[in-house]
C-alpha cells in the first residue's frame, strides 16, 4: 500500500470506515452563519489553542528524554509522508517562551498541551524520573500563568516510552495500567498545584483503531481486511487496547480524586474523538446504523465512564469478543470523569451494512456493520478541506454537542480540538498560505454553531483551536497545516496567518487600530490582504 493510500485510510477510519468519494465545492458555507463576539459566550469561558508534545517539542533525545513509540515508528521508512518525523518538530522545547508570548498576543486565556511520557519517565516505571523533564514542564506552566494563560494538560497524547511496547505490548497488556498510574501520579505531584484541568488520555477510540485495527499508528498491528501487518488481530485487539485504556483512566481518576483533588481543587476528564453522523437515507436501517455508529465510536469510550459499561448494541453484536468489567471495575469506572473533552472536526453520512452491500472492512462486527460516506446522491456533505474525509459541516458542531448533552446528562464539556486543514495546492507561495480566509470562515461558522448549542442549554466551558501553529501531523508529516501561525521549515520562525489576526481581534473585540469592532471586518477581502501583507512580509524576513 502506498503512503498516500494509507493516509486516505487513516482519516476515513475516523469515520469508522476507510473509503471516500471525491468532494466538490458545490456547497457554500462561507458567510452562512451568525456573526458572533466573545462577549456572547458565558463568563469564564476558556478560549485557547492546542498542541501535543510529539507534534511540537522536538529535542527527541535531549536532556535525558527516552525513546517514545513515535520516535521509533517515525524512523521506519515509509510510515510517514516523505519519511518525516518529530525529531525537531517545530522546536517548541527551545522556543516555548516565544510560543507562549504568541498565545499572549492572541489574547487566549488557556493553552492545551500534553506531557511527553518518555521525557518524564524515559523507561516508564522501570527507570528513574528525569528531573530535567519535570523542570521543562514546570517552566512552561509557570510562564503560562505569568502571562495569564491557564494550563489545560493532557497526560497522554499518543506517545509512550518505547520500552513499554517492547516489554509487554503497551495498551494490549493490563500491565499498562500500573505504568500509567505511576506516570500520572508524578504529574499530579509535580504540576497539580498549578494545573486545574486534566485530561488523562487523548482519543483512546482513535488509538485503538489506528494502532490496532488499521496498523497505521505504532505499534502497527492489524490483520486483513484492514491491513497486512506482520502481527495483530484487527477484530479483537482494538477492544483490548480500549479496555486497558479505560481502566487506566479510571485508576488515575480514582487516585486524583482521593489523594490530590481535595487539596489541589482541580478537575479530571478524558478526550474523545467525536464525529457527527447523519443517515445516508431516510430508511430505518440507515437510521439504526447511525445509532450503532455512535455506540461503536463515541459510546465505546464514554458509556463506561458515565454509565459503567459498554453500550448494549456493542454487547449484542460483539458478544464474548467484548471484554467485560468486573463489578469492582464497574464501580471504579462509572462516574470517573468530571467533564467530557471533545475533539470535533466533521460529519459523515452512515449506511447500514447488515442489509446493504458494503466493503469488507465495513461489514464487520468490530465496526458495528456500518459504512460511511461524504456523498449523498452525488452531492458532498460539505466543502472539502486538506484532509479527505474531513469536510466542513458547521451544523455538526451544534448537533454533536446536543447529542452528548442529551445522552450524558449535560456533563460539563470542553471542545479541546477544532480546526481547519488547508487545502493542498501545488507550488503555493508562502504569502498565499498566510491568506487563510477559509480557516477564518471555518472557525466563525463552527463557533456560531457552538454558541447555538450553548444557548440551548449545553454546559460547554471552553473552545480550543487546533492548532497554535503548523506542526507535525502524525503520518501526514508537515504538509497538512492547521495552524494559526505558519512555521518556516528552514528557520522555524513563526509567521502569523490572517487567522491569527482574526482570532486576536475576536478575543479582544478590537480592530488593528485598537477600536472596538464586531468579528466582521468592515473592509473587503482584498483590502484585508493588503492591510496585513506588508506586516507579514516583515515577519518573514
Amino acid at each position: 500500500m502506498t503512503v498516500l493510500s494509507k493516509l486516505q485510510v487513516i482519516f476515513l477510519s475516523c469515520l469508522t470506515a476507510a473509503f471516500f468519494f471525491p468532494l466538490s465545492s458545490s456547497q457554500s458555507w462561507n458567510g452562512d452563519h451568525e456573526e458572533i463576539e466573545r462577549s456572547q459566550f458565558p463568563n469564564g469561558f476558556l478560549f485557547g489553542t492546542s498542541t501535543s508534545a510529539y507534534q511540537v517539542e522536538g529535542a527527541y533525545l535531549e536532556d535525558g528524554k527516552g525513546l517514545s513509540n513515535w520516535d521509533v515508528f517515525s524512523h521506519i521508512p515509509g510510515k510517514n509522508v516523505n519519511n518525516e518525523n518529530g525529531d525537531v518538530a517545530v522546536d517548541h522545547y527551545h522556543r516555548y517562551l516565544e510560543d507562549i508570548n504568541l498565545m499572549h498576543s492572541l489574547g487566549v486565556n488557556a493553552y492545551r498541551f500534553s506531557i511527553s511520557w518518555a521525557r518524564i519517565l524515559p523507561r516508564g516505571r522501570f527507570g528513574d524520573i528525569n528531573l530535567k523533564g519535570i523542570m521543562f514542564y514546570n517552566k512552561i506552566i509557570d510562564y503560562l500563568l505569568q502571562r495569564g494563560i491557564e494550563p489545560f494538560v493532557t497526560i497522554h497524547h499518543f506517545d509512550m516510552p518505547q520500552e513499554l511496547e517492547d516489554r509487554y505490548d503497551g495498551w494490549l497488556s493490563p500491565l499498562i495500567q500500573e505504568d500509567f498510574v505511576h506516570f500520572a501520579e508524578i504529574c499530579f505531584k509535580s504540576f497539580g498545584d498549578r494545573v486545574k484541568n486534566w485530561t488523562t488520555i487523548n482519543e483512546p477510540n482513535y488509538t485503538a483503531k489506528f494502532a490496532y485495527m488499521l496498523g497505521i499508528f505504532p505499534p502497527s498491528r492489524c490483520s486483513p481486511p484492514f491491513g497486512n501487518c506482520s502481527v495483530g488481530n484487527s477484530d479483537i485487539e482494538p477492544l483490548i487496547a480500549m479496555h486497558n485504556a479505560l481502566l487506566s483512566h479510571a485508576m488515575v481518576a480514582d487516585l486524583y480524586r482521593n489523594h490530590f483533588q481535595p487539596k489541589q481543587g482541580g478537575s479530571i476528564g478524558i478526550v474523545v474523538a467525536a464525529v457527527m453522523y447523519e443517515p445516508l437515507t431516510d430508511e430505518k436501517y440507515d437510521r439504526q446504523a447511525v445509532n450503532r455508529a455512535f455506540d461503536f465510536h463515541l459510546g465505546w469510550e464514554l458509556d463506561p465512564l458515565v454509565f459503567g459499561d459498554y453500550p448494549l448494541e456493542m454487547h449484542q453484536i460483539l458478544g464474548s469478543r467484548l471484554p467485560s468489567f468486573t463489578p469492582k471495575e464497574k464501580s471504579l469506572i462509572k462516574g470517573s470523569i468530571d467533564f467530557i473533552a471533545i475533539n470535533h472536526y466533521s460529519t459523515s453520512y452512515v449506511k447500514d451494512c447488515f442489509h446493504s452491500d458494503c466493503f469488507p472492512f465495513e461489514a464487520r462486527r468490530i465496526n458495528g456493520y456500518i459504512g460511511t460516506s461524504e456523498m449523498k446522491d452525488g452531492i458532498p456533505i460539505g466543502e472539502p478541506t486538506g484532509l479527505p474525509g474531513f469536510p466542513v459541516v458547521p451544523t455538526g458542531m451544534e448537533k454533536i454537542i446536543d447529542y452528548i448533552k442529551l445522552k450524558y446528562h449535560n456533563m460539563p464539556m470542553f471542545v479541546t480540538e477544532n480546526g481547519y486543514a488547508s487545502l493542498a495546492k501545488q507550488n503555493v507561495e508562502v504569502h498565499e498560505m498566510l491568506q487563510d480566509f477559509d480557516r477564518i470562515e471555518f472557525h466563525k461558522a463552527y463557533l456560531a454553531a457552538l454558541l447555538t448549542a450553548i444557548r440551548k442549554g449545553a454546559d460547554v466551558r471552553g473552545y480550543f483551536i487546533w492548532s497554535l501553529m503548523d506542526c507535525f501531523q502524525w503520518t501526514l508529516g508537515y504538509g497538512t497545516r492547521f495552524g494559526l501561525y505558519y512555521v518556516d521549515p528552514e528557520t522555524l520562525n513563526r509567521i502569523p496567518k490572517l487567522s491569527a489576526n482574526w482570532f486576536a481581534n475576536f478575543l479582544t473585540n478590537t480592530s488593528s487600530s485598537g477600536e472596538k469592532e464586531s468579528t466582521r471586518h468592515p473592509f473587503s477581502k482584498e483590502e484585508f490582504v493588503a492591510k496585513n501583507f506588508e506586516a507579514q512580509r516583515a515577519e518573514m524576513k
Side-chain angles (χ1 to χ4, degrees), residues 100 104 107-111 142-151:
I100 292 171
H104 178 70
V108 302
N109 59 4
Y111 172 48
D142 288 343
Y143 195 59
L144 284 169
L145 293 172
Q146 183 181 329
R147 302 300 269 163
I149 301 171
E150 183 174 334

Side-chain angles (χ1 to χ4, degrees), residues 22 40 85 115 213 250 295 324 335 362 531:
Q40 295 171 290
N85 58 56
I115 296 174
M213 181 189 294
D295 281 348
S324 60
E362 295 175 326
K531 188 178 181 67

Side-chain angles (χ1 to χ4, degrees), residues 1 35 49 65 98 146 148 180 193 231 234 238 255 258 264 275 278 301 313 320 348 424 436 458 489 536:
M1 179 180 285
E35 290 293 334
T49 56
K65 179 185 170 295
E98 174 189 353
Q146 183 181 329
F180 191 59
D193 57 328
V231 293
S234 297
L255 170 73
N258 288 321
Q264 295 177 353
V275 178
E278 301 282 0
E301 180 174 335
E313 283 225 73
S320 61
S348 178
D436 59 342
Q536 290 171 343

Side-chain angles (χ1 to χ4, degrees), residues 342-355:
I342 301 155
N343 290 354
H344 173 72
Y345 291 85
S346 192
T347 299
S348 178
Y349 290 124
V350 171
K351 64 176 290 188
D352 168 70
C353 291
F354 274 127
H355 305 89

Side-chain angles (χ1 to χ4, degrees), residues 380-504:
I381 195 170
E383 288 280 345
T385 68
L387 286 185
F390 274 41
V392 179
V393 189
T395 56
M397 174 68 84
E398 177 188 349
K399 291 179 179 180
I400 194 66
I401 295 294
D402 284 346
Y403 178 88
I404 294 172
K405 175 187 74 174
L406 292 173
K407 183 170 182 180
Y408 300 107
H409 311 313
N410 202 15
M411 291 190 68
M413 290 177 267
F414 294 88
V415 177
T416 41
E417 286 183 26
N418 176 238
Y420 178 87
S422 300
L423 283 168
K425 299 178 181 177
Q426 295 295 323
N427 303 317
V428 178
E429 298 290 336
V430 171
H431 71 86
E432 293 182 60
M433 297 184 196
L434 303 181
Q435 318 304 323
D436 59 342
F437 284 96
D438 282 345
R439 181 167 291 106
I440 294 171
E441 292 302 321
F442 175 95
H443 285 294
K444 282 185 178 183
Y446 275 74
L447 277 168
L450 178 63
L451 182 59
T452 299
I454 292 171
R455 286 170 172 168
K456 290 161 59 179
D459 186 5
V460 183
R461 302 184 180 186
Y463 176 88
F464 293 78
I465 285 180
W466 184 272
S467 176
L468 172 67
M469 54 197 161
D470 296 337
C471 58
F472 181 76
Q473 288 296 328
W474 308 114
T475 55
L476 294 175
Y478 296 93
T480 300
R481 298 180 173 92
F482 283 89
L484 299 174
Y485 288 83
Y486 169 79
V487 178
D488 186 292
E490 295 183 3
T491 66
L492 299 181
N493 288 339
R494 284 80 158 120
I495 304 167
K497 302 177 187 177
L498 294 186
S499 57
N501 297 330
W502 163 78
F503 196 41

Side-chain angles (χ1 to χ4, degrees), residues 158-332:
F158 294 161
D159 56 321
M160 70 166 62
Q162 178 63 30
E163 181 147 349
L164 307 188
E165 293 280 9
D166 294 339
R167 281 180 178 264
Y168 54 71
D169 292 331
W171 291 113
L172 291 181
S173 170
L175 295 173
I176 194 70
Q177 298 167 30
E178 184 179 348
D179 259 296
F180 191 59
V181 170
H182 177 58
F183 173 40
E185 184 174 14
I186 293 168
C187 293
F188 297 148
K189 287 179 177 177
S190 302
F191 317 125
D193 57 328
R194 288 151 293 155
V195 175
K196 303 306 175 187
N197 286 296
W198 295 94
T199 56
T200 52
I201 306 174
N202 179 76
E203 301 176 339
N205 52 343
Y206 273 10
T207 297
K209 292 189 175 186
F210 294 166
Y212 300 98
M213 181 189 294
L214 298 173
I216 47 183
F217 275 17
S220 297
R221 299 178 68 95
C222 67
S223 60
F226 298 96
N228 294 301
C229 305
S230 59
V231 293
N233 184 330
S234 297
D235 292 304
I236 299 295
E237 289 186 354
L239 304 172
I240 297 171
M242 174 63 94
H243 197 71
N244 284 321
L246 292 174
L247 288 173
S248 297
H249 158 85
M251 292 172 66
V252 166
D254 185 64
L255 170 73
Y256 183 70
R257 286 174 168 175
N258 288 321
H259 297 282
F260 296 96
Q261 194 175 47
K263 183 177 180 180
Q264 295 177 353
S267 59
I268 193 162
I270 197 167
V271 183
V272 62
V275 178
M276 182 60 204
Y277 296 108
E278 301 282 0
L280 182 63
T281 72
D282 290 331
E283 297 295 327
K284 72 172 183 177
Y285 291 136
D286 284 352
R287 294 197 304 270
Q288 292 169 351
V290 167
N291 294 332
R292 293 200 304 277
F294 279 124
D295 281 348
F296 274 73
H297 190 68
L298 195 69
W300 187 22
E301 180 174 335
L302 292 183
D303 273 34
L305 304 177
V306 178
F307 306 124
D309 203 354
Y310 295 112
L312 179 60
E313 283 225 73
M314 291 194 75
H315 279 285
Q316 292 174 338
I317 292 174
L318 294 168
S320 61
R321 297 184 180 194
L322 186 66
S324 60
F325 298 108
T326 67
K328 183 178 179 180
E329 289 170 341
K330 286 185 178 181
S331 177
L332 183 71

Side-chain angles (χ1 to χ4, degrees), residues 52-68 71 86-89 91-94 114-124 128-137 140 159-162 183 186-187 191:
S52 84
Y54 186 77
Q55 294 178 270
V56 298
E57 285 181 6
Y60 84 113
L61 286 180
E62 196 165 330
D63 290 338
K65 179 185 170 295
L67 284 174
S68 76
D71 292 323
D87 291 2
V88 177
D91 199 29
H92 181 66
Y93 188 78
H94 299 108
S114 72
I115 296 174
S116 168
W117 195 337
R119 197 176 295 283
I120 300 295
L121 290 165
R123 301 182 59 215
D128 296 330
I129 298 171
N130 179 27
L131 295 180
K132 289 185 178 180
I134 300 287
M135 185 184 305
F136 170 66
Y137 293 108
I140 286 181
D159 56 321
M160 70 166 62
Q162 178 63 30
F183 173 40
I186 293 168
C187 293
F191 317 125

